[in-house]
Every structure is written in C-alpha cells, then in structure tokens.
C-alpha cells in the first residue's frame, strides 16, 4: 500500500460529512431550486433514499476487494488495459473536481470579500495549503477533521437558529405545482450533486480501520449531511423565496447577512464563509489526494509524494482555465456535471459490480467442474 497510515472510523465519517457538505453549503440550494422551484425542498427530501442507494452501491463495490482502492478494483476486474482506461477517466474526474472547488473559492473570495485581489493570488494560496496538507499525510488529515468539523457544525447551527424567525411558510406555496418530469429531474439533481461526489471516498476506503459499525456510521454520516443540505434548502426558500434562491449563487452567504436578532446577533456572514471554506478545503484536498494517489497506483510507483508538486501546478493551471467567470461555471459546467456524477458514481460502479458477479459465478462453475470426476 502507498499509504501506511489508517484512519479510525470516526475520522473517516467526519471526512465523509465534510466532503458531503463541501462546496454544497453555498451552491446546493440554487442548483436544486433552478428546476424544483418552491418544491425543491421536497425534491431534496426525495433524493435522500436515492443518495443512500448510491452509497450502498459504493460500499458493496468496496466489499468485493476490501484491500484495494477504486483504481485497483478497476484493474483487478477489467484487466490491465481496460482497467487503466477507467482509472484514467476517474483521474480526470478527480482533478477537474479539485479544480472546480479551487475555482469556486477563488470566485467567492474575489466577488464577496477581497474585491481588489487577483484571483490567481487566491488560487495560489489555496493550492499552497493543499500541498501542505498532502505533505503531512493521511493521518494528519483525519486528525484535523476531528478538530475542525465541530466548528463547521456550530456555525451552520448558528445560521439555522438565526433564520428561523424570518422563515415564512407562504413562500413554499403553491405545493406540488410542478410537472412530474421536473420533480424527477430536480430529485435526481439533488441526489447526485451531493451524494454522487462522494465517489472520491472509494479511493480511501481501504485505508480505514475496519470495525463492526463501519457501514452504519458511513451511511449515517451521508444521511446527516443530506438532511443538513435539505434543511438549508428549505430555510432558503422560506426566507428568500424560490426566485431569489434560484438566482443567488451564494445563497447561504446572503442568508447569513440577513440575520439580526435584537441588533446584537448579526453580521455572521464571516462565520458562514469560514464554515464553507473549511468544508471545501477538505473536499478539494481529498480530490487532489485521490488524483495523486491514483496516478501513483496507475504507474505502480513506490510513493506518491513526488507527484504532489507537479499535480499542484496542474491544479493551479486548471483552476484558472476551467472557466472564464462564475456565470460560465453556473450556466455551462454545473448542468453537465450532474450527468458526469451519475456516470462515475452510479453507472460505472454498477458495471463493476456486475462484472464481479459474472466472474465470481464463472470461477465457482469452473471450480465445481474440477471437483466432479
């Protein structure tokens, strides 16, 4: 194994939660509301069992070869050449996912906080912190998640509590006013934009200490993250309305600016930005780590650390070139990204499971024929 360290189940579930909420804290409500309108909260709720089904498929794929990562499973089941093609496809997905997370942070900081700072400076600072995290290893990543996850949860709870007095149920009306096809479309988008991106965890599942409650904790972490995003979406519609939620890219940041309790508890948007930056950092770090680790496994290197610097330089270039502006990102990249999530997180794992079942049956048939005289 390229990674000698292993995480505890608690550390891995915390990382799962951070990757689940990640950049979704800011952009999830607008993504789902763009199609679901005022019924988007219901679509998000209906997407939870679909999301858990995605996680079940990923877990079953892991259990076929518990000691192998996603890239190694592809090679094991499909052979060297075909498996390498699938591995390269996943590498491309992970590096583009990391670049999008980095670009999201750059666009947010340059449009909301540091208006006069060049986006290249922001992206460079983010990548330097990612390199620092990768150089310190997988174990340090798990320990840091234990330290920072409570901060993210507390800040989000502050946001929810501050918004409750301004919530209006009339903004959810009329109920069930959308055609069935749009409800289905919005439900699929809600499930795969949040749960689908957890495919990156399949790279790190072999590096978790096994335990009797691993499956339960893994699914509960994703369920809790999905419920949190659904509640955030519901409050966004009840406070701002479906139209404003749809057209506000950083709706959670806008919501935090509206909080004012007794002219004392207000202006907590900095807290919301910190929570989003922490969760997005861990998500982009795991995506970059998966790219580095997968590249090392694909070329059968003895260590992944020499790949950190060139991968970070590639990420810097992609973070700048991936989109000319934030409008291009929201209008062009995100609609296509849902289809990509469906492919890499559900269709390909299902295909790999099918190949495993077929090969297992063939091996059992061959072994039984050898036993029978």
């Amino acid at each position: 194994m390229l990674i000698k360290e292993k995480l505890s189940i608690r550390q891995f579930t915390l990382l799962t939660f951070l990757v689940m909420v990640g950049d979704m804290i800011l952009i999830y409500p607008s993504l789902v509301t763009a199609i679901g309108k005022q019924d988007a909260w219901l679509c998000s709720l209906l997407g939870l069992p679909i999301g858990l089904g995605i996680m079940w498929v990923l877990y079953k794929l892991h259990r076929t070869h518990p000691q192998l990562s996603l890239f190694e499973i592809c090679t094991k089941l499909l052979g060297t050449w075909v498996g390498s093609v699938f591995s390269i496809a996943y590498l491309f997905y992970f590096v583009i996912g990391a670049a999008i997370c980095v670009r999201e942070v750059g666009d947010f900081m340059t449009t909301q906080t540091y208006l006069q700072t060049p986006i290249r400076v922001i992206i460079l600072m983010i990548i330097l912190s990612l390199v620092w995290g990768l150089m310190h290893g997988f174990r340090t990543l798990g320990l840091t998640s234990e330290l920072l996850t409570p901060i993210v949860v507390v800040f989000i709870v502050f946001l929810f509590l501050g918004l409750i007095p301004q919530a209006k149920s009339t903004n959810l009306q009329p109920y069930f006013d959308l055609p069935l096809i749009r409800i289905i479309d919005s439900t699929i988008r809600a499930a795969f934009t949040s749960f689908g991106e957890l495919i990156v965890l399949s790279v790190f599942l072999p590096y978790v200490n096994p335990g009797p409650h691993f499956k339960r904790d893994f699914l509960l972490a994703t369920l809790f993250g999905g419920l949190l995003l659904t509640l955030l979406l519901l409050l966004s519609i009840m406070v701002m309305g479906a139209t404003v939620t749809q057209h506000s890219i950083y709706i959670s940041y806008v919501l935090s600016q509206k909080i004012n309790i007794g002219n004392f508890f207000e202006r907590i948007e900095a807290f919301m930005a910190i929570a989003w930056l922490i969760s997005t950092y861990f998500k982009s770090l795991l995506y970059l780590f998966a790219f580095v680790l997968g590249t090392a496994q694909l070329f059968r290197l003895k260590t992944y650390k020499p790949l950190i610097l060139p991968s970070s330089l590639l990420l810097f270039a992609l973070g700048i070139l991936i989109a000319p502006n934030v409008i291009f990102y929201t209008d062009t990249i995100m609609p296509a990204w849902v289809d990509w999530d469906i492919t890499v997180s559900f269709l390909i794992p299902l295909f790999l499971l099918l190949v495993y079942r077929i090969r297992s049956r063939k091996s059992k048939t061959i072994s039984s024929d050898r036993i029978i005289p």
Side-chain angles (χ1 to χ4, degrees):
M1 284 189 175
L2 293 176
I3 299 179
K4 305 301 180 182
E5 308 159 316
K6 286 199 173 186
L7 300 185
S8 65
I9 295 178
R10 180 177 64 179
Q11 291 169 345
F12 187 75
T13 53
L14 292 177
L15 279 177
T16 301
F17 170 76
L18 289 174
V19 176
M20 178 73 184
V21 297
D23 56 338
M24 293 291 116
I25 295 179
L26 284 188
I27 66 175
Y28 180 81
S30 60
L31 287 176
V32 183
T33 310
I35 298 178
K37 306 300 180 182
Q38 71 278 355
D39 289 330
W41 66 274
L42 176 63
C43 299
S44 181
L45 197 62
L46 294 175
L48 292 179
I50 299 176
L52 291 178
I54 298 171
M55 293 298 100
W56 182 83
V57 170
L58 298 182
Y59 179 78
K60 295 297 289 185
L61 178 62
H62 162 67
R63 294 307 304 168
T64 60
H65 300 87
Q67 303 302 320
L68 303 181
S69 70
L70 177 62
F71 305 102
E72 295 169 323
I73 290 176
C74 290
T75 305
K76 181 76 173 180
L77 295 178
L78 304 176
T80 302
W81 292 103
V82 179
S84 297
V85 172
F86 277 79
S87 297
I88 292 172
Y90 273 113
L91 287 176
F92 183 66
Y93 173 79
F94 291 142
V95 72
I96 294 297
I100 285 181
C101 290
V102 168
R103 181 55 185 264
E104 283 177 346
V105 175
D107 284 330
F108 173 77
M109 299 298 286
T110 54
T111 58
Q112 304 295 324
T113 308
Y114 300 108
L115 304 182
Q116 303 299 323
T117 303
I119 192 172
R120 287 174 173 81
V121 176
I122 301 296
I123 291 177
L124 180 60
M125 294 175 62
I126 299 166
I127 292 178
L128 288 176
S129 65
L130 293 177
V131 171
W132 183 263
L134 288 179
M135 293 299 295
H136 281 73
F138 196 49
R139 175 68 174 172
T140 304
L141 179 62
L143 294 173
T144 309
S145 68
E146 291 184 293
L147 177 65
L148 296 181
T149 301
I151 298 176
V152 176
V153 174
V154 168
F155 286 170
I156 294 177
V157 170
F158 280 165
L159 176 68
F160 289 164
L161 294 178
L163 289 176
I164 289 177
Q166 302 183 44
K168 300 178 183 178
S169 60
T170 55
N171 288 333
L172 301 177
Q173 300 174 356
Y175 301 104
F176 312 110
D177 193 44
L178 293 176
L180 180 60
I181 187 64
R182 295 195 64 177
I183 293 180
I184 295 175
D185 190 6
S186 183
T187 301
I188 293 175
R189 173 175 288 203
F192 283 95
T193 54
S194 53
F195 289 90
E197 296 187 357
L198 295 180
I199 181 64
V200 68
L201 299 176
S202 298
V203 179
F204 302 101
L205 283 172
Y207 310 111
V208 181
N209 289 319
H213 303 299
F214 173 69
K215 180 180 178 181
R216 181 199 66 184
D217 295 343
F218 177 59
L219 294 177
L220 284 179
T222 57
L223 177 61
F224 180 70
L227 288 173
L228 187 146
L229 293 176
T230 301
L231 182 58
L232 176 62
L233 172 59
L234 177 62
L235 284 175
S236 299
I237 298 176
M238 294 179 69
V239 174
M240 305 295 293
T243 303
V244 177
T245 300
Q246 173 186 349
H247 295 286
S248 297
I249 301 175
Y250 309 120
I251 184 62
S252 300
Y253 189 76
V254 176
L255 286 171
S256 61
Q257 293 176 328
K258 293 179 65 65
I259 294 177
N260 186 347
I261 300 178
N263 293 324
F264 173 75
F265 187 69
E266 59 181 346
R267 305 295 296 179
I268 69 165
E269 60 267 20
F271 293 157
M272 195 64 223
I274 291 172
W276 180 73
L277 288 173
I278 291 174
S279 58
T280 306
Y281 171 79
F282 277 96
K283 184 174 182 178
S284 56
L285 182 59
L286 279 184
Y287 268 72
L288 180 59
F289 204 165
F291 174 76
V292 172
L293 184 64
T295 303
Q297 291 176 343
L298 181 64
F299 292 99
R300 299 180 181 179
L301 303 179
K302 295 182 178 180
T303 178
Y304 64 87
K305 289 193 175 181
L307 299 176
I308 294 177
L309 181 58
S311 298
S312 62
L313 295 176
L314 174 64
L315 182 61
F316 178 76
L318 288 175
I320 296 173
L321 299 175
I322 197 167
N325 51 58
V326 67
I327 303 300
F328 178 88
Y329 167 77
T330 55
D331 292 345
T332 305
I333 296 180
M334 288 312 300
W337 192 264
V338 178
D339 299 330
W340 205 1
D341 281 335
I342 294 174
T343 303
V344 301
S345 65
F346 188 68
L347 296 182
I348 294 180
L350 271 183
F351 171 70
L352 293 175
L353 279 176
L354 179 62
V355 172
Y356 173 76
R357 296 294 184 186
I358 294 174
R359 295 188 63 174
S360 298
R361 289 180 181 178
K362 285 185 178 180
S363 61
K364 289 180 181 179
T365 303
I366 293 174
S367 60
S368 62
D369 290 341
R370 290 178 177 175
I371 295 175
I372 298 176

